[in-house]
Amino acid sequence: RDSHPSHHHATPAQMKNSSTGGHVRIIGGLALACLMIAMYLVKDHYSTTHSTLCNMSAWFSCSAVNTSSYSELFGVPVAVFGVLYNIVVLGGVWKILSNDRPIYFTLALFIWGWVGVGFVLYMIFGEFMVGAICPFCTMVHILIAAMMYFIWRLWDDLKVKPDLTELIQIKEYVAIVMVLFVVPIFLFASASRPSLSKPEFKADVTDDIIRPEVTLSELATCLTKSGMAFYGSDHCGACKNQKSILGEGMDHIKYTDCPRNDETKEVCTHWKVNSFPTWVRTDSQGVEVDRKVGVKSIRDLADMAGCPYS
């Protein structure tokens, strides 16, 4: 047997032992789970409502992290990169299981795994800077760490370990991955924000919906007198957009920060608040007569309460 076997003639058998196939399938399962969570986080990043499922308190809040300035890189949501990252992992797993140049795709997965570790470290840094923990992001961190462990085991199973230059053997796939990650940067950079960005609701305040005759403070006072109450979270990105719309009128709004303490949690539980922001209107007897979920424009709120806005 040649003591220096050729990498170019490496066969699937040269990388397999009794556990290798299992490792590959586990990596695929972890990547699929990561993909599902990443897709949810993309939805959460752009959503005008934020579920209490992932916003348990000021310290444990997906939206606090996922709508912060650290939630984007080069103008692209990190969650979008997460979706693409796991698609690439699944592609590598498929290639290895189909015995298509498994040696080189194992090398690619090994390198790609470290890219994932880099993303995890970046998001942990973002959580530290924001001062909150994103529970679903933490699940992704754990899954990627587990994925890296099995990728390492897969790499260790190789009888013949190729060097970095041998990625040339799968150069067409390396090119596809590069394009896959570069194209979104150009798309998000060139597209008009707010069409691809989070909706910019401030325009609702400055357009002709609000007339000089009715100030935001006066409108907010009318909303409160009409039995309107705003339930949300100080760390909810959509709630911050809602507050931005109301501007100085927030000083006159009946607002409850649901996760703040046991008392506010009890209030929000009583009103069955499951998403942020939620607007509830009650009559003079305290009976609910209307409810709206999500960020609402000045016109929507005025119509809901029967208040003048022009």
Side-chain angles (χ1 to χ4, degrees), residues 258-275:
C258 292
R260 180 177 294 277
N261 53 48
D262 290 341
E263 181 180 352
T264 56
K265 287 179 183 177
E266 185 177 343
V267 170
C268 294
T269 299
H270 170 76
W271 290 108
K272 297 180 173 61
V273 176
N274 298 314
S275 297

Side-chain angles (χ1 to χ4, degrees), residues 105 108 167-168 170-179:
F105 278 103
L167 282 176
I168 194 70
I170 53 171
K171 57 182 181 296
E172 67 274 26
Y173 295 98
V174 174
I176 290 172
V177 171
M178 292 177 65
V179 170

Side-chain angles (χ1 to χ4, degrees), residues 50-182:
H50 291 288
S51 171
T52 56
L53 174 67
C54 200
N55 293 279
M56 294 170 277
S57 71
W59 301 104
F60 295 94
S61 170
C62 286
S63 62
V65 178
N66 200 32
T67 59
S68 72
S69 59
Y70 297 95
S71 67
E72 296 185 357
L73 282 173
F74 310 109
V76 182
V78 174
V80 169
F81 283 130
V83 170
L84 298 176
Y85 173 85
N86 288 289
I87 289 174
V88 171
V89 172
L90 289 170
V93 166
W94 174 65
K95 284 294 183 180
I96 294 172
L97 289 176
S98 61
N99 290 333
D100 182 357
R101 291 165 285 179
I103 299 287
Y104 307 117
F105 278 103
T106 298
L107 168 63
L109 270 186
F110 185 68
I111 296 170
W112 199 238
W114 286 112
V115 173
V117 171
F119 272 109
V120 167
L121 293 176
Y122 171 79
M123 287 309 299
I124 291 175
F125 170 75
E127 288 176 322
F128 174 78
M129 296 301 293
V130 172
I133 294 175
C134 167
F136 282 12
C137 302
T138 301
M139 291 172 63
V140 170
H141 301 167
I142 294 170
L143 289 170
I144 289 181
M147 197 187 307
M148 189 63 212
Y149 168 77
F150 285 102
I151 290 175
W152 188 286
R153 291 287 301 273
L154 187 65
W155 174 257
D156 192 55
D157 286 345
L158 284 178
K159 296 178 181 179
V160 179
K161 290 182 171 59
D163 57 50
L164 186 61
T165 61
E166 295 191 73
L167 282 176
I168 194 70
Q169 300 297 324
I170 53 171
K171 57 182 181 296
E172 67 274 26
Y173 295 98
V174 174
I176 290 172
V177 171
M178 292 177 65
V179 170
L180 194 63
F181 275 75
V182 170

